[in-house]
Amino acid sequence: MSTAFDICWPGGEAAAPPTPLVFASPHSGRLYPDDMNPALDALRIRRSEDAKVDELIDQAPALGAPVIRALTARAYLDVNRDPGELDPRLFREALPAEARALSPRVAAGLGVVARVASGGAEIYDRRLSLEEGLSRIARVHAPYHDALSRLLARARAAHGLAVLIDWHSMPQSAAPGVDFVLGDRFGAACSPALTAAVERLLGEAGYRTARNAPFAGGYTTEHYGRPDRRTHALQVEINRGLYLDEVRLETTAGFGRLRETLGRLIARLAETDWRPLLQS
């Protein structure tokens, strides 16, 4: 089994995709490989995780959507970053000419190999070799995206289009008064009908939503969201205050209610005939 990711399939890997939906949880991974050797203690570094997001959506395969989840922690290698987003302050050697060292995410210390953890604490007390970073990309980032690409291709082959929902969580302080932030790259990554449908379903359940602020969608949404190529991508950020003690990383009483609500939302999405909505 890959240590980079796993996939939970509806009806098994050999079965045809029952819906065009594909779900991803790129930041819920909890594996910290031995070669990482961080300077931070375990709990402090784990606060970078989108803790328990994979468990919130674990009903999806039974309802018709495969779930690909990263197993390796985002602090080790972030699969929701461009593989070229390398931080010159983290590596000992000069970066390749094609590196995207000036991206805003790299400037914040959150490149494909993160330099800082949640709260801005430095993860390492040393600089890494470039080979360490490139090896992580080859072992974690590349296999994850190869698998995600194949899932989307299967959905398009079976249904004429693919609908990717990329699930995340955000600190309660990131968007005060907002329960969910829906990121569609300001309409570039998916049809407005997809964003509106998710927004409406969450509103009917009593949740407050915002679009594209402060999160418009990361690498996954931007890279795969190509409506003109029959692939629609939406990033969903869940307020951790709904279900998680952010200090201890333990679920609260709200976890069960939120999981039930998301189960109903996923069921509604799976029942939707997306072709007339998204191909118009």
Side-chain angles (χ1 to χ4, degrees):
M1 183 179 109
S2 170
T3 59
F5 66 92
D6 67 8
I7 300 173
C8 298
W9 301 88
E13 184 174 355
T19 76
L21 298 173
V22 174
F23 286 1
S25 181
H27 287 163
S28 55
R30 296 180 279 277
L31 295 180
Y32 292 84
D34 292 340
D35 65 330
M36 185 177 184
N37 297 317
L40 299 178
D41 64 79
L43 187 58
R44 198 168 183 192
I45 199 169
R46 283 200 60 223
R47 291 190 184 123
S48 293
E49 298 172 10
D50 285 352
K52 307 293 184 178
V53 165
D54 54 339
E55 297 178 23
L56 286 171
I57 61 168
D58 64 7
Q59 303 162 85
L63 297 169
V67 176
I68 181 170
R69 58 176 186 162
L71 300 178
T72 305
R74 69 182 297 191
Y76 181 79
L77 190 289
D78 193 336
V79 297
N80 196 37
R81 296 289 181 266
D82 187 305
E85 289 185 290
L86 298 167
D87 191 334
R89 291 168 293 180
L90 181 60
F91 297 103
R92 294 195 295 265
E93 300 92 347
L95 300 181
E98 65 272 16
R100 298 188 59 212
L102 300 179
S103 83
R105 288 176 288 226
V106 170
L110 299 172
V112 66
V113 181
R115 180 174 51 82
V116 302
S118 178
E122 295 279 340
I123 294 175
Y124 303 97
D125 57 6
R126 68 191 191 284
R127 299 182 85 181
L128 306 184
S129 71
L130 184 58
E131 177 54 35
E132 285 181 86
L134 297 179
S135 175
R136 293 184 191 187
I137 292 169
R139 290 183 285 113
V140 179
H141 193 284
Y144 176 89
H145 283 283
D146 179 64
L148 178 52
S149 296
R150 286 187 279 108
L151 284 173
L152 295 170
R154 282 166 55 105
R156 286 192 300 269
H159 299 280
L161 54 83
V163 178
L164 171 62
I165 309 291
D166 202 43
W167 296 88
H168 296 258
S169 69
M170 61 184 178
Q172 192 167 8
S173 60
V178 176
D179 300 316
F180 290 83
V181 175
L182 307 180
D184 60 9
R185 305 297 302 178
F186 300 96
C190 67
S191 165
L194 174 58
T195 309
V198 175
E199 188 174 56
R200 175 175 52 79
L201 292 171
L202 288 169
E204 289 174 357
Y207 292 107
R208 298 160 296 181
T209 62
R211 292 193 190 189
N212 295 308
F215 305 105
Y219 170 75
T220 299
T221 313
E222 183 176 13
H223 181 70
Y224 293 103
R226 296 287 187 271
D228 59 330
R229 300 179 189 174
R230 300 180 294 127
T231 303
H232 300 259
L234 178 68
Q235 179 174 292
V236 177
E237 293 273 359
I238 306 169
N239 187 327
R240 292 175 192 156
L242 295 174
Y243 73 96
L244 190 73
D245 181 316
E246 295 186 69
V247 175
R248 298 195 301 270
L249 299 183
E250 297 173 356
T251 57
T252 63
F255 179 87
R257 174 179 177 264
L258 178 59
R259 183 176 176 276
E260 288 180 7
T261 298
L262 292 178
R264 291 192 293 271
L265 179 144
I266 294 166
R268 294 281 297 278
L269 295 177
E271 293 164 359
T272 300
D273 182 358
W274 292 104
R275 286 169 296 183
L277 292 175
L278 303 185
Q279 291 180 339
S280 58

